[in-house]
């Protein structure tokens, strides 16, 4: 059997077999130790819970360059001079990778899939061509699209913003790209559509009318929503918060900021949040905090899984390997009822020094195993530990009597004053933080 049965052209990851689950004791680096797709946990298979996706941009487009030096990765699918032929090869490489890794979903930007043409019409034509090919590959492999998006931040025309650009001509180009990317997402059966506002912000407040820019962004997103619904998009629109990088300030700062923006502009019914781990830490929050704020607002849509580096404050987009982080994340996701249209997209890149094709597999295997372990531990904590009961109990004084009346809006401030005067000094009730933290560790080590 060909190792790359679905493509039938060049094999880009020779010598790499389909990655299998071999269990915790395996020393095979090219095997899953925890991710067992068909294993049932808390009523669903791991595959159904985690809904892993591979991102096209870091995995198949980025060459490992940084501001101080050029790319280092070996990317044989980029060899051809003709950009459309190279894009076709890249698609082959991507679908070979997806199938060998065994993930159910993938994600793309329009410009990852097809190059920008000399005109709007040529860009649309090339994208359409690659979407047709991707549709064929999806059919033959069973791969599904988690989400699509438009890259309205790389081209120099977007240097002052896309939908928030002070020049209306630029806004029209952003619209052309978003329209075509929505068409592509619908054609490929995408479950969600993402807006990451990489250039939607400012570099200098003196020359910026932030109020007007935010109004433009709200209007633009409403137009995109209406167009998407008009062509039959039934999935979820997602905003991906990020406070900075590349701009000095980006408007979609964090989950609570975006939740307020969506409500102000009447978008909350159609839009949710795509929470990215490293964006959370850039905003001065933890990953878990951002997920909890999104979930509490009823807006947790999807996750971009990666991690930052505690030694600097940048968006390093490293593969997630921190078990404590994934346990916390899965506690929020499970308590929220799990993903619907969303999933776990590895918006992460191998290090510049990791130059082998194999490294891309090792990175994803590690990320998938770390989230699979996080899922097992979180499910065990929720099903068997006293954590949920303890937290509920802390608020028991609001479950009946005057506390209940307070929550029901039946009391005024003066009523509370009288209750304070009559009740005397409250007892100090321990929050038991150390006990709770110890409990989490006990379950991390106990869970198989
Ligand atoms: C950038 C980032 C993007 C979005 C999609 O930090 O996360 O890749 O996920 O545009
Ligand atoms: Co992202």
């Amino acid at each position: 059997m060909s190792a790359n049965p679905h493509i039938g052209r060049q094999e880009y990851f020779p010598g790499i077999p389909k990655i299998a689950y071999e269990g915790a004791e395996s020393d095979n680096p090219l095997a899953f130790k925890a991710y067992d797709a068909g294993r049932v946990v808390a009523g669903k298979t791991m595959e159904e819970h985690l809904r892993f996706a591979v991102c096209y941009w870091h995995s198949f487009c980025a060459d490992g360059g940084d501001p101080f030096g050029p790319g280092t990765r070996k990317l044989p699918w980029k060899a051809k001079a003709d950009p459309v032929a190279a894009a076709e090869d890249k698609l082959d490489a991507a679908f070979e990778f997806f199938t060998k890794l065994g993930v159910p979903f993938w994600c793309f930007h329009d410009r990852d899939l097809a190059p920008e043409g000399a005109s709007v019409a040529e860009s649309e034509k090339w994208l359409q061509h690659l979407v047709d090919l991707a549709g064929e590959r999806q059919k033959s492999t069973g791969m599904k699209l988690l989400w699509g998006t438009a890259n309205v931040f790389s081209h120099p025309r977007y240097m002052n913003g896309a939908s928030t650009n002070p020049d209306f001509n630029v806004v029209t180009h952003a619209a052309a790209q978003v329209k075509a990317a929505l068409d592509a997402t619908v054609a490929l059966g995408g479950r969600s559509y993402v807006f990451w506002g990489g250039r939607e912000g400012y570099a200098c407040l003196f020359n910026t009318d932030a109020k007007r820019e935010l109004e433009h962004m709200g209007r633009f997103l409403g137009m995109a929503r209406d167009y998407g619904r008009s062509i039959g998009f039934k999935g979820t629109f997602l905003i991906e918060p990020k406070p900075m990088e590349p701009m000095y300030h980006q408007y979609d700062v964090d989950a609570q900021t975006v939740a307020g923006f969506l409500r102000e502009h009447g978008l909350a019914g159609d839009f949710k949040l795509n929470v990215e781990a490293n964006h959370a830490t850039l905003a001065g929050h933890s990953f878990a905090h951002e997920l909890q704020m999104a979930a509490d607002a009823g807006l947790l849509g999807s996750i971009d899984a990666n991690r930052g580096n505690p030694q600097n404050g940048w968006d390093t987009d490293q593969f997630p390997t921190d078990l404590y982080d994934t346990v916390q994340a899965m506690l929020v996701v499970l308590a929220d009822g799990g993903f619907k249209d969303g999933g776990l997209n590895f918006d992460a890149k191998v290090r510049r020094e990791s130059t082998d094709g194999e490294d891309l597999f090792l990175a994803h295997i590690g990320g998938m195993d770390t989230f699979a372990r996080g899922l097992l531990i979180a499910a065990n904590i929720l099903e068997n530990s006293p954590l949920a009961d303890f937290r509920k109990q802390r608020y028991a004084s609001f479950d009946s009597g005057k506390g209940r009346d307070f929550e029901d809006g039946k009391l005024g401030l003066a009523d509370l004053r009288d209750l304070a005067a009559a009740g005397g000094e409250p007892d100090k009730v321990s929050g038991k933080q150390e006990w709770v933290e110890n409990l989490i560790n006990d379950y991390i080590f106990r869970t198989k």
Side-chain angles (χ1 to χ4, degrees):
M1 191 185 85
S2 156
N4 186 11
H6 307 292
I7 311 303
R9 306 201 311 182
Q10 187 177 337
E11 186 175 15
Y12 290 101
F13 300 96
I16 309 254
K18 172 114 174 73
I19 307 300
Y21 169 73
E22 291 187 4
E25 302 308 317
S26 171
D27 281 328
N28 177 4
L30 287 170
F32 295 116
K33 318 299 182 302
Y35 180 64
D36 183 2
R39 177 172 170 187
V40 175
V41 185
K44 283 198 285 190
T45 65
M46 281 192 165
E47 183 173 290
E48 290 164 342
H49 273 292
L50 297 165
R51 296 169 62 86
F52 286 127
V54 171
C55 86
Y56 214 86
W57 50 103
H58 289 313
S59 301
F60 310 107
C61 307
D63 60 10
D66 72 14
F68 304 95
T72 55
R73 293 178 68 206
K74 303 159 196 157
L75 306 173
W77 52 87
K78 278 187 149 186
K80 288 188 185 146
D82 172 30
V84 177
E88 291 171 354
D89 286 353
K90 185 165 55 173
L91 191 75
D92 285 352
F95 274 79
E96 180 189 332
F97 181 81
F98 302 153
T99 26
K100 285 183 171 178
L101 183 64
V103 280
F105 293 102
W106 63 297
C107 298
F108 69 86
H109 298 86
D110 53 352
R111 298 298 186 249
D112 306 335
L113 211 51
E116 172 135 4
S119 64
V120 167
E122 189 171 56
S123 297
E124 287 170 347
K125 192 179 93 191
W126 286 353
L127 181 60
Q128 183 60 52
H129 170 61
L130 267 297
V131 166
D132 289 346
L133 292 182
E136 288 169 18
R137 304 282 187 279
Q138 286 196 160
K139 215 179 248 170
S140 64
T141 60
M143 286 293 301
K144 294 179 286 293
L145 179 67
L146 190 68
W147 49 260
T149 187
N151 178 338
V152 287
F153 44 87
S154 293
H155 193 284
R157 78 170 72 88
Y158 299 120
M159 65 181 185
N160 291 309
S163 71
T164 62
N165 200 293
D167 179 354
F168 175 62
N169 291 318
V170 178
V171 177
T172 65
H173 277 265
Q177 270 191 250
V178 169
K179 177 182 173 294
L182 276 164
D183 289 338
T185 301
V186 169
L188 292 170
R191 304 300 194 266
S192 298
Y193 182 88
V194 164
F195 293 87
W196 170 58
R199 304 273 175 198
E200 313 291 28
Y202 59 81
C204 171
L205 204 45
F206 290 132
N207 67 3
T208 302
D209 186 340
K211 183 174 193 300
R212 208 164 174 184
E213 291 195 2
L214 278 160
E215 278 162 7
H216 292 173
M217 190 160 89
R219 179 165 302 283
F220 187 98
L221 292 172
M223 291 166 79
R225 185 257 329 264
D226 294 344
Y227 178 74
R229 295 300 183 218
S230 81
I231 59 167
F233 178 63
K234 302 223 170 4
T236 307
F237 294 92
L238 298 170
I239 306 265
E240 185 175 323
K242 186 175 184 182
M244 64 189 91
E245 267 197 61
M247 302 302 275
Y248 172 70
H249 173 89
Q250 281 151 221
Y251 293 130
D252 298 330
V253 177
D254 61 5
Q256 287 185 294
T257 306
V258 177
F261 173 88
L262 291 177
R263 290 188 188 119
E264 184 185 344
H265 292 273
L267 298 166
D270 297 277
F271 282 73
K272 288 187 172 170
L273 302 180
N274 184 34
V275 173
E276 177 163 325
N278 206 164
H279 296 178
T281 50
L282 273 179
H285 303 309
S286 69
F287 182 27
H289 167 94
E290 283 294 85
L291 291 169
Q292 192 68 63
M293 292 304 118
D296 290 348
L299 294 173
L300 179 53
S302 200
I303 289 179
D304 268 10
N306 55 30
R307 67 181 167 97
N309 192 309
Q311 295 194 108
N312 61 32
W314 309 331
D315 190 11
T316 56
D317 282 333
Q318 291 175 243
F319 275 84
T321 52
D322 185 333
L323 186 59
Y324 206 68
D325 247 10
T326 63
V327 169
Q328 290 190 76
M330 291 314 297
L331 276 171
V332 180
V333 171
L334 288 177
D336 194 46
F339 295 119
K340 286 159 198 88
D341 289 326
L344 277 159
N345 168 47
F346 290 109
D347 191 354
K349 57 189 177 214
V350 291
R351 299 302 88 194
R352 186 166 185 263
E353 305 80 15
S354 300
T355 53
D356 296 341
E358 183 195 70
D359 293 324
L360 195 59
F361 282 89
L362 300 176
H364 281 87
I365 289 167
M368 291 165 77
D369 272 345
T370 310
F371 264 98
R373 290 190 173 108
L375 166 65
L376 289 169
I377 294 162
N380 196 5
I381 291 169
L382 290 176
E383 275 169 33
N384 299 312
S385 87
L387 184 70
D389 283 347
F390 172 72
R391 187 164 66 181
K392 189 168 182 325
Q393 199 52 37
R394 286 190 82 201
Y395 300 87
S397 61
F398 294 95
D399 289 342
S400 60
K402 294 295 179 189
R404 179 83 261 160
D405 289 348
F406 164 82
E407 281 201 349
D408 291 343
K410 292 181 181 160
L411 300 177
L413 196 66
D415 298 321
L416 266 55
R417 181 261 162 217
D418 292 346
L419 288 166
E425 185 58 31
D427 289 340
K428 283 202 277 298
V429 182
S430 172
K432 296 280 173 212
Q433 182 174 334
E434 292 77 9
W435 171 71
V436 167
E437 288 171 343
N438 294 349
L439 191 76
I440 300 292
N441 273 348
D442 292 344
Y443 273 77
I444 286 177
F445 287 102
R446 179 183 304 175
T447 305
K448 293 270 179 299

